[in-house]
Amino acid sequence: MTNERVRDGSGDGPAIDRRALLRAGALAGAVTLAAGVNAGGAAAEPGGAPPVGEGPPGGESTVVLTGRLETGAPDFVYLPLDVPARVREIAVAYSYDRPPVPAGTPGNSCDIGIFDERGTGLGGQGFRGWSGGFRTSFAISRTEATPGYLPGPVRPGRWHVVLGPYQVAPQGLEYRVEVTLRFGEPGPEFKPAYPPERARGRGRAWYRGDCHLHTVHSDGRRQPAEVAAAARAAGLDFIVSTDHNTPSAHGSWGPLAGPDLLVITGEEVTTRNGHWLALGLPAGRFVDWRYRARDEAFPRLARQVRRDGGLVVPAHPYCPYVGCQWKFGYQDADAVEVWNGPWTYDDESAVDSWDSALAEALRQGRPWLPAVGNSDAHSAPQVVGSPHNVVLAQDLTRDDVLDGIRAGRSWIAESAAVRLEFTATGAGRQAGVGERLAVPADVPVDVRLTVSGVPGGTVRFLTDEGQLHQESLPADGSGTVVWRTTASLAGYVRAEVRHPRADGTPGRGNSMGPELPWGPMAALTNPVFLGAPPRDG
């Protein structure tokens, strides 16, 4: 995972703290490149460099920018660059030193990206690409660009190469950026191939999909074609493209989608105070990440995603890596990713916090936050679709899938081998995952879970009071568990299906001790709510 941030402002949003903003131009001015200028900035030919913008076709200009950043440097450093006319391609390569540091002290880590002449304003139009710390060089032209960057016109004006020093060693960080402008005819225009927003569905049905995936367009090592093939092999009906801080992959998914696979465009927005998934973005749409929680920029960008019909989903909120833990709160979220990749202790923390939030929402009579789970797969051996979401949708379309996730009509499966049905029945009525069974408080309610694909697994029924029922599955992993309750005892019921612990035992609820009580998760449902709805609902 990469972790990036900037402090800059735009006229249409909340003020951003500028104390940490550093622009190299404030010290040395913008660098202007003209054809025929060598790396040292001296004239390469007798008579000096030709006037800016009049370089011969095929000529190029190169300049090397160096500098030093101290501990406490700004989150982003902008290196202004005046680009003349007739530039065919802009190419950038960079490096920085990595001195040894004391044990327990972070070493140097510095990301890179670029904004064009339209500016660096937060949420503005100038974004042209970001590769975090995954690449040491990139190039942009009208026809093509390095993955993570957007092909398009290389227009004259002031561009900015942007450094993101998210970790600086006590000795400081020395950087070297080499910029080469190649002159000539611009070449044919890049034509993106965006995926369709509909696939061949089965009408109202349960559809399986992974909403958090990476490719070579950010810090993944799989090509989009490899991800699409892996999704089909995993039995998925849909995927969401969520490369870090760039929409550059969107234009490559068109030929890879098909009647059997819906590809939804999105982004993993990677801030310094946590990552969030922008699911269902209009193809090609960029969502800015250059802020912290204290900047108060996140609510505005979350609203923009919703205006576009998308979802805001905090990702891996308890991930221990720098910049990954979620600090923005959940009032602007549509769902939360409680299960990310192979089951680990941070997923346990995420589920526990989510469950507490369910009880709080129930008590306050306000909307609740659905849970999702995704693979966050970057490269082998990470498995696409482990885990994934099983969503009840009206059909296999972008809007229908997002509506199902937004409503909480979904459960999380470790793989397509895991199947389940979860319902609550009482007073002649039935409700499923994400729904409400409106029954009087004292009417008996039968909660039923039918599951397969979890050999020797443990079924848990949890309510706003905690775990109230536990039962083991047979060795073949298939079975039906029924538990009777009332709305007076359980405001909601959700189900977990766990694998056996490492020692082969099922684990025990309502107990304390030095060992973890449960094995890895195999399936997790959103709740069924019991009783009369809140007065305002």
Side-chain angles (χ1 to χ4, degrees):
M1 302 174 186
T2 55
N3 306 282
E4 309 88 11
R5 163 176 194 265
V6 72
R7 293 184 178 216
D8 191 12
S10 64
D12 60 346
I16 303 298
D17 182 1
R18 294 178 177 270
R19 289 176 299 172
L21 182 62
L22 172 66
R23 295 186 181 275
L27 301 177
V31 175
T32 301
L33 300 184
V37 177
N38 65 20
E45 299 176 1
V52 172
E54 295 185 6
E60 66 179 39
S61 301
T62 300
V63 69
V64 174
L65 309 174
T66 61
R68 176 182 176 83
L69 303 174
E70 303 295 341
T71 301
D75 291 324
F76 274 58
V77 175
Y78 292 79
L79 306 178
L81 178 72
D82 284 337
V83 175
R86 299 186 61 192
V87 171
R88 175 180 59 84
E89 180 183 75
I90 180 169
V92 178
Y94 86 118
S95 62
Y96 56 91
D97 67 330
R98 294 175 172 85
V101 296
T105 301
N108 284 338
S109 296
C110 188
D111 298 341
I112 196 166
I114 195 167
F115 285 72
D116 66 20
E117 85 291 344
R118 291 172 292 181
T120 61
L122 189 70
Q125 300 297 311
F127 175 79
R128 290 300 294 271
W130 188 255
S131 50
F134 194 62
R135 302 183 188 279
T136 58
S137 63
F138 63 86
I140 296 174
S141 72
R142 185 172 186 259
T143 303
E144 59 185 354
T146 302
Y149 295 81
L150 305 181
V154 181
R155 292 178 290 262
R158 178 159 291 185
W159 290 50
H160 290 85
V161 175
V162 186
L163 301 180
Y166 69 91
Q167 292 179 172
V168 178
Q171 301 95 317
L173 182 152
E174 295 185 358
Y175 64 83
R176 181 183 188 274
V177 179
E178 181 178 298
V179 182
T180 299
L181 302 185
R182 300 186 174 101
F183 292 80
E185 295 301 317
E189 181 182 3
F190 172 75
K191 299 291 186 182
Y194 296 135
E197 296 187 358
R198 174 182 293 273
R200 185 181 59 229
R202 305 181 297 277
R204 181 177 171 85
W206 294 92
Y207 296 97
R208 294 177 179 262
D210 193 338
C211 300
H212 189 170
L213 291 164
H214 297 279
T215 72
V216 295
H217 285 262
S218 59
D219 60 345
R221 296 193 179 275
R222 291 184 174 105
Q223 296 287 340
E226 295 176 286
V227 172
R232 289 180 164 98
L236 302 184
D237 301 296
F238 69 91
I239 59 174
V240 186
S241 171
T242 57
D243 278 304
H244 293 279
N245 297 346
T246 180
S248 70
H250 293 182
S252 65
W253 287 110
L256 304 173
D260 63 330
L261 183 65
L262 174 69
V263 180
I264 300 172
T265 49
E267 177 183 327
E268 182 173 6
V269 186
T270 309
T271 81
R272 287 299 299 274
N273 284 162
H275 301 185
W276 57 282
L277 305 175
L279 305 181
L281 294 175
R285 180 64 55 84
F286 157 67
V287 180
D288 216 318
W289 70 96
R290 299 172 295 157
Y291 44 86
R292 295 189 185 227
R294 62 177 176 256
D295 295 329
E296 297 297 337
F298 168 64
R300 175 169 69 91
L301 295 166
R303 287 193 298 271
Q304 179 60 60
V305 169
R306 288 197 194 90
R307 283 196 294 269
D308 289 334
L311 302 182
V312 174
V313 182
H316 45 67
Y318 287 89
C319 175
Y321 300 141
V322 172
C324 290
Q325 297 180 38
W326 186 250
K327 307 296 186 184
F328 293 92
Y330 296 94
Q331 63 272 20
D332 294 296
D334 298 301
V336 58
E337 185 184 76
V338 302
W339 184 355
N340 178 275
W343 186 261
T344 56
Y345 72 90
D346 55 303
D347 300 308
E348 293 279 5
S349 296
V351 170
D352 287 345
S353 295
W354 168 70
D355 185 80
S356 296
L358 284 178
E360 183 180 7
L362 180 69
R363 183 179 70 253
Q364 296 179 353
R366 58 175 175 78
W368 61 283
L369 201 62
V372 298
N374 301 296
S375 74
D376 194 7
H378 287 66
S379 57
Q382 296 168 341
V383 179
V384 171
S386 182
H388 63 264
N389 304 284
V390 189
V391 183
L392 180 60
Q394 292 299 119
D395 209 341
L396 189 52
T397 73
R398 167 194 176 271
D399 289 346
D400 289 334
V401 167
L402 295 181
D403 284 347
I405 295 172
R406 185 184 293 111
R409 297 191 302 268
S410 66
W411 57 277
I412 308 168
E414 177 186 46
S415 72
V418 179
R419 298 180 177 276
L420 66 76
E421 295 181 7
F422 185 53
T423 60
T425 304
R429 305 169 187 169
Q430 186 176 88
V433 176
E435 298 176 340
R436 175 175 290 276
L437 182 65
V439 294
D442 58 350
V443 169
V445 173
D446 287 331
V447 178
R448 178 183 298 267
L449 178 75
T450 300
V451 62
S452 63
V454 192
T458 301
V459 172
R460 305 177 66 203
F461 288 157
L462 298 104
T463 76
D464 47 317
E465 190 178 354
Q467 176 178 311
L468 292 183
H469 187 73
Q470 173 183 333
E471 195 166 322
S472 294
L473 294 171
D476 67 1
S478 299
T480 298
V481 177
V482 180
W483 171 65
R484 175 161 288 190
T485 187
T486 64
S488 63
L489 296 176
Y492 66 81
V493 184
R494 63 179 185 85
E496 293 182 4
V497 186
R498 299 274 190 152
H499 287 291
R501 299 193 305 174
D503 62 3
T505 61
R508 294 187 302 164
N510 307 325
S511 64
M512 297 182 67
E515 297 180 354
L516 292 175
W518 304 108
M521 192 78 73
L524 167 72
T525 75
N526 277 300
V528 179
F529 291 91
L530 307 180
R535 292 183 179 179
D536 60 354

